[in-house]
Every structure is written in C-alpha cells, then in structure tokens.
Amino acid sequence: GIQVEQSPPDLILQEGANSTLRCNFSDSVNNLQWFHQNPWGQLINLFYIPSGTKQNGRLSATTVATERYSLLYISSSQTTDSGVYFCAVERPSGYSTLTFGKGTMLLVSP
Amino acid sequence: DAGVTQSPTHLIKTRGQHVTLRCSPISGHKSVSWYQQVLGQGPQFIFQYYEKEERGRGNFPDRFSARQFPNYSSELNVNALLLGDSALYLCASSLETENTEAFFGQGTRLTVV
C-alpha cells in the first residue's frame, strides 16, 4: 500500500514562531487532506488540497503532486495551535480510503 | 448544519463482549467510513459504506462488521472484544465514494478491560 511519512515527528515552538510540516507519499494520489487533532480526539479539517496552494488565515498548504509531497505552513503560532497534525492521502481505488501518516506533534509554549 | 455525530462518546467493555458504535453523517452525505486510531498512531481504515453497500474494507478481522441504513447513518459492530480493540473509533462522512473531502466525528473512545 501507499506509504505516508510526516516530518518532523515532534516540534516545540515559542508563541509567535513560524513552522513548516512536511508530508511525503510514495505513490500518486487523488486526494490529500491536512487535519489537526485536538486533545479530545476530534479531527479538524484544515485543507483539502490534492494539488496547488491554499491559504486560510495563518495557515497555508502546498501540494506538489508530481513530486509526491505536501507542506503545511503555520505562521505566528499560538498556544491553541498545539496538538497533532495529520496528513492523509487517498489513492485512486474506487472507494474512499484515507491513509494517514503518523502525525507531527506540535507544542507551542507561551 | 450538524456535523458528523457519533455515539456513545466513551464506552468501557469487558473482553469477549460485543459493542455497537453509531454514526450519523452530515446531511446530504451518502458515504460513511470507519477508522480505528490506537494511541500514538494515525487512524486506520476499517470500512467504507456508500448507498447502503460495503465499498471497501481494511485489514481487520471478521469480528468487525458494519452496516448503513436508508437514512445513511451507520453502525460498527465488534464481536468477541479483545484488549487490543481499545482505541478511538472515528467515523467519516463524505459526499461521494472518492475524490471528495472527508469530515470526521468526535469519535468513540472504547476501552476493553
């Protein structure tokens, strides 16, 4: 099956700092999503981005499908950004199967 | 509009028992998928249902089963519970079978003792 690797596994930032999270995948995909998992387990949709660049406030994401990677940028980080960030991809298969990476654990300290 | 809703939020069961988890998708969404997330890992795909038919199945034993009802809600059933079944069970809803954004519920945290 497809492999999804996220880096770094852990990240500690001071409030106000910027960061870049990376997601590499091993095969072509027709869907890529970024999620933020809050402490209660809820997966919050950040971006649906099979290709191209999108921005939402302090967050932006870029997916280069031909080179099989996606980047999530967090600018001016806040303590509420803490949590686990997951990248998930979907292979063309006839049904929706998201394959998740292991996540990046982000801790933003005041 | 209500998002994806799951019930119950927490559950404690004994080894060997059976459990049923429930999910209501976003209104208008016809596809429901189930995922298992163990501590420290990303969610793993269990099943996808679309228009009441199973469309995909992950690498889980036959103790796991599911169904989708005419109103597109879904149930996940697990028989003969093992300690290793303790996990967060997540339901995702989407408009179509593929190439569409998936939205997740808050999950059911199952503890098997």
Side-chain angles (χ1 to χ4, degrees):
Chain A
I2 192 168
Q3 305 299 312
V4 181
E5 293 184 0
Q6 291 187 241
S7 60
D10 302 281
L11 188 57
I12 300 175
L13 299 174
Q14 287 278 345
E15 203 168 22
N18 303 328
S19 60
T20 301
L21 282 56
R22 187 177 179 101
C23 172
N24 292 335
F25 42 96
S26 61
D27 210 337
S28 58
V29 299
N30 59 0
N31 177 10
L32 187 145
Q33 292 186 240
W34 283 98
F35 297 93
H36 176 210
Q37 189 165 42
N38 66 22
W40 298 273
Q42 173 104 44
L43 284 170
I44 310 297
N45 288 43
L46 297 178
F47 293 101
Y48 170 67
I49 186 166
S51 64
T53 297
K54 291 186 177 180
Q55 180 154 9
N56 184 5
R58 297 181 295 103
L59 273 59
S60 64
T62 295
T63 297
V64 183
T66 53
E67 297 187 21
R68 299 180 183 168
Y69 72 89
S70 183
L71 301 173
L72 177 69
Y73 306 94
I74 304 175
S75 64
S76 304
S77 57
Q78 302 175 356
T79 56
T80 51
D81 295 331
S82 297
V84 183
Y85 289 79
F86 286 105
C87 165
V89 302
E90 176 190 301
R91 285 270 296 136
S93 63
Y95 59 91
S96 174
T97 302
L98 286 175
T99 300
F100 284 76
K102 291 187 176 181
T104 292
M105 169 77 81
L106 173 64
L107 177 63
V108 181
S109 58
Chain B
D1 275 346
V4 181
T5 57
Q6 292 186 243
S7 62
T9 54
H10 294 82
L11 203 51
I12 299 175
K13 288 287 191 178
T14 304
R15 271 182 303 173
Q17 284 189 315
H18 160 272
V19 69
T20 298
L21 310 181
R22 295 177 175 83
C23 172
S24 292
I26 292 171
S27 176
H29 285 196
K30 299 178 181 178
S31 171
V32 170
S33 298
W34 288 94
Y35 290 79
Q36 181 197 65
Q37 185 179 20
V38 299
L39 203 60
Q41 300 292 321
Q44 277 199 296
F45 172 74
I46 310 175
F47 286 111
Q48 189 211 22
Y49 276 77
Y50 179 77
E51 291 279 19
K52 302 182 290 291
E53 290 188 3
E54 182 182 306
R55 299 297 295 269
R57 183 183 185 116
N59 188 23
F60 280 80
D62 291 344
R63 299 184 296 107
F64 288 76
S65 64
R67 55 179 176 167
Q68 188 177 33
F69 299 99
N71 66 353
Y72 302 112
S73 67
S74 177
E75 283 182 354
L76 176 69
N77 296 285
V78 186
N79 291 326
L81 285 166
L82 304 174
L83 296 180
D85 295 330
S86 295
L88 179 67
Y89 289 85
L90 294 162
C91 171
S93 118
S94 55
L95 270 172
E96 297 295 336
T97 53
E98 62 177 332
N99 291 348
T100 58
E101 190 173 3
F103 296 86
F104 284 80
Q106 82 281 13
T108 294
R109 195 167 295 279
L110 172 65
T111 303
V112 182
V113 296

